[in-house]
Amino acid sequence: MRVLNFNAGPATLPLSALELARDELLDFGGTGMSIMEHSHRGKDFEAVHAETKSLMREIIGVPDTHEILFVQGGASQLFAQIPMNFAHVGKCADYVVTGAWGEKAVSEAKVVAKMLNTTTHVAASTGEGDGKEKQYHRVPEDAEIKPDAAAAYLHYTSNETIHGVEFHRIPSAGNAPLICDASSDFIWKKVDISKFALVYAGAQKNVGPSGIVVVLARKDFIAQGRTDIPKIFQLRTVAENDSLYNTPPTFAIYLIRNVMRWIKTEGGLEAMEKKNREKAKLVYDALDAHAGFYRLPVEKASRSVMNVIFNLPNEGLEEKFLGEAKKRKMVGLKGHRSVGGMRASLYNAVPVEWAKALAELIADFAKQNG
Ligand code: PMP
């Protein structure tokens, strides 16, 4: 029996994408073997790879100016790889920090800056407090973002998966090329990709399984990347070899294809956005209706449509809430270990019915325990 899975990532995948993988697992397209057993340079995998990219280009509306790349190592590797490629000597790498993932990106950029003789600058941070107590409740206004005049790029995290803080606009980067970690809010609504030098997203939320990152990057920006770093880390190498410089995670790319087919069948990003907004409204409305019982740390204007963060009055009640959720076949609602509390992730593949069931649990639990 499949459960109502609210995991933050790896997260629930569309059932049809998994069923297709099951049906094709032992014999892909009559070839007598799994897609996993095919050469990454053979025509069968080539067709899968091409279909995945072309569906993604169509669904997102990726302009011809931008490459679609698949990179290994997770979004965490990109935290290091981006400054390695694009923080040029004498220039500064700018960061807007709105949560834990932005912090990690800055921290890796600082290590790279030491190695490569560049600098790192926090152009804005909405963190309040220090160390383990640090909290993030909102995204900054454009006026709060102070880009360095010599910035090689400005990096921000469009959705902070742990803190539930989401940008509902593209922030102003001044003249600097804009780079976005969109790991947890990728491909759920129309976004003008032409505004970005580079967008990257770890796949394990809205796109597919873990271990692979989708990178959308302007061709001329990739070409300007540094050449004094190992070839394997240069995004130029990935682009020049159509993500096949070395052996890619072929099964992950195949599963992304299945997910892209599902998004297209469902009606593309318009349908995804409508459903996602409906789910988020159901859950936030249920929480707001019992605002004296539940505490929502994120300011309304910055609330994430993907990751709903909330607290109960004490840890005992949080445990009880999770127990009640389990009885109703709901899993994945425990908040990230660094911040505690609850987190409900409502990515594309979460059906509206699950959000309704969660809203019911939220209401029932407050009535019984409030
Ligand atoms: N950025 C964001 C916004 C994330 O949510 C995550 C993972 N949850 C990462 C980066 C890191 O991804 P990975 O674990 O694939 O390296």
Side-chain angles (χ1 to χ4, degrees):
M1 222 250 347
R2 287 189 46 91
V3 292
L4 286 66
N5 177 357
F6 295 99
N7 274 334
T12 193
L13 287 165
L15 189 57
S16 70
L18 295 176
E19 284 172 342
L20 181 56
R22 177 197 60 199
D23 295 346
E24 293 184 328
L25 190 64
L26 300 185
D27 182 4
F28 177 77
T31 59
M33 58 175 146
S34 157
I35 191 67
M36 275 184 278
E37 299 164 299
H38 275 272
S39 162
H40 59 297
R41 303 202 188 275
K43 70 175 179 20
D44 292 283
F45 179 72
E46 199 176 284
V48 167
H49 187 196
E51 184 186 345
T52 311
K53 286 201 310 176
S54 97
L55 282 170
M56 198 175 270
R57 193 172 283 283
E58 177 189 337
I59 291 165
I60 299 176
V62 180
D64 289 342
T65 43
H66 287 59
E67 296 272 9
I68 299 177
L69 310 175
F70 297 114
V71 179
Q72 305 183 49
S76 302
Q77 180 170 300
L78 271 288
F79 291 165
Q81 215 171 344
I82 284 167
M84 284 167 84
N85 276 268
F86 303 113
H88 294 277
V89 175
K91 289 233 173 189
C92 171
D94 260 0
Y95 285 78
V96 173
V97 182
T98 51
W101 294 108
E103 279 182 17
K104 286 212 162 91
V106 172
S107 139
E108 286 292 74
K110 282 185 178 161
V111 176
V112 173
K114 265 196 195 141
M115 279 166 48
L116 296 182
N117 196 21
T118 65
T119 51
T120 306
H121 169 242
V122 174
S125 167
T126 53
E128 291 170 24
D130 279 321
K132 278 206 162 134
E133 303 303 313
K134 201 164 200 173
Q135 300 282 329
Y136 292 89
H137 308 291
R138 64 181 186 93
V139 302
E141 303 287 335
D142 278 350
E144 293 174 78
I145 302 175
K146 311 274 186 236
D148 189 282
Y153 61 80
L154 184 129
H155 176 286
Y156 78 107
T157 313
S158 51
N159 183 64
E160 281 286 350
T161 325
I162 294 175
H163 288 90
V165 170
E166 186 172 18
F167 274 92
H168 296 292
R169 65 176 208 280
I170 298 175
S172 156
N175 295 324
L178 192 57
I179 297 187
C180 177
D181 172 4
S183 291
S184 51
D185 71 344
F186 190 61
I187 204 165
W188 73 270
K189 62 171 182 191
K190 275 271 179 224
V191 173
D192 183 357
I193 299 299
S194 73
K195 297 236 167 7
F196 296 90
L198 189 150
V199 177
Y200 66 104
Q204 66 268 26
K205 289 110 171 31
N206 265 340
V207 186
S210 58
I212 184 163
V213 184
V214 180
V215 176
L216 312 178
R218 233 175 47 218
K219 292 171 186 169
D220 63 331
F221 188 65
I222 296 173
Q224 288 159 21
R226 293 178 69 131
T227 50
D228 57 351
I229 58 170
K231 211 171 169 187
I232 187 75
F233 295 131
Q234 293 180 32
L235 285 179
R236 168 186 301 101
T237 308
V238 187
E240 282 173 356
N241 293 280
D242 192 18
S243 305
L244 293 168
Y245 174 68
N246 64 336
T247 320
T250 51
F251 195 65
I253 291 171
Y254 160 80
L255 254 169
I256 295 176
R257 180 205 73 168
N258 292 1
V259 175
M260 292 306 115
R261 282 189 182 177
W262 172 79
I263 295 180
K264 186 167 177 180
T265 312
E266 288 286 296
L269 291 190
E270 227 168 87
M272 291 298 124
E273 176 168 3
K274 186 164 172 285
K275 226 175 58 161
N276 285 320
R277 293 205 185 276
E278 189 181 342
K279 289 180 294 183
K281 183 166 170 20
L282 281 164
V283 177
Y284 281 117
D285 281 356
L287 292 164
D288 285 336
H290 301 279
F293 185 69
Y294 298 105
R295 193 175 61 78
L296 285 87
V298 180
E299 288 180 10
K300 272 193 181 165
S302 300
R303 281 180 179 176
S304 170
V305 175
M306 297 285 118
N307 311 99
V308 181
I309 309 296
F310 59 100
N311 292 86
L312 282 95
N314 58 56
E315 278 184 20
L317 280 172
E318 288 182 348
E319 281 307 311
K320 194 171 170 193
F321 183 90
L322 291 174
E324 190 52 43
K326 201 169 170 198
K327 279 190 213 152
R328 301 182 189 205
K329 308 270 182 289
M330 297 179 195
V331 302
L333 290 166
K334 200 173 166 64
H336 190 269
R337 60 189 186 282
S338 62
V339 294
M342 300 289 132
R343 169 173 58 179
S345 299
L346 305 172
Y347 301 125
N348 286 347
V350 170
V352 174
E353 292 68 42
W354 295 8
K356 278 191 186 142
L358 177 59
E360 269 170 36
L361 166 65
I362 288 167
D364 293 350
F365 195 82
K367 278 179 210 142
Q368 285 154 16
N369 298 279

